[in-house]
Amino acid sequence: MGVRDEVFDEIERIEAEIRRKEKEYYTEKALEEAYNPKNVGRIEDADCFGRVTGPCGDTMEIYMRVIDGKIEDCKFLTDGCGATIACGSVLTEMLKGKTLEEAAKIKPEDILSVLGGLPPEHLHCPVLAVRTLNAALENCRKRCSQQVAGSERDLRNE
């Protein structure tokens, strides 16, 4: 066995130990969402966009496509940890097909429920996800009111 093989064996041993330790702190669902997140990316020409940086320094962005008042598609990006990634993945799945009013009712506890919980030091992650959602919803409201105001101006000018 050469030095190279010993190094690779040691890396594999360390990775296995990390995976074992993760299972002590995180649920299977949280690990699945962190390692295989859904809806990662941007939506070009999104109808709604929100970006928030949390107190821990993690930033999350949410992009939504809204058709007839319903969220048809949504994606997220984050520079955060695995727990933040898991929260963004779960949130975007929860949002699809909901009205904007239904989306506004989502709470951090709803995300935690789907994940089966998070360690105490990561309870700020679903809060960041919901704050980002709220920023995106506020962006939707502003865009809609600007469109309505523009339409009213157009009607007066006819």
Side-chain angles (χ1 to χ4, degrees), residues 141-157:
R141 284 190 279 279
K142 286 180 181 175
R143 291 181 83 166
C144 286
S145 66
Q146 289 171 351
Q147 289 172 353
V148 168
S151 297
E152 289 173 357
R153 276 194 299 274
D154 292 344
L155 291 174
R156 281 182 274 160
N157 291 333

Side-chain angles (χ1 to χ4, degrees), residues 22 26 30-31 33-35 37 58 76 78-89 115 118 122 125:
E22 286 174 332
Y26 297 97
L31 291 172
E33 294 292 343
Y35 282 112
D58 292 357
F76 81 101
T78 185
D79 60 5
C81 65
T84 301
I85 294 167
C87 290
S89 179
L115 291 174
L118 288 171
H122 291 289
C125 299

Side-chain angles (χ1 to χ4, degrees), residues 15-55:
E15 286 178 341
E17 180 63 17
I18 289 169
R19 296 281 184 177
R20 187 184 70 70
K21 287 281 193 188
E22 286 174 332
K23 290 180 181 181
E24 292 177 15
Y25 297 103
Y26 297 97
T27 65
E28 195 62 43
K29 178 67 173 172
L31 291 172
E32 174 63 28
E33 294 292 343
Y35 282 112
N36 301 295
K38 299 167 198 73
N39 310 308
V40 176
R42 290 184 173 92
I43 296 176
E44 295 300 320
D45 299 322
D47 298 307
C48 308
F49 168 76
R51 179 183 176 153
V52 174
T53 299

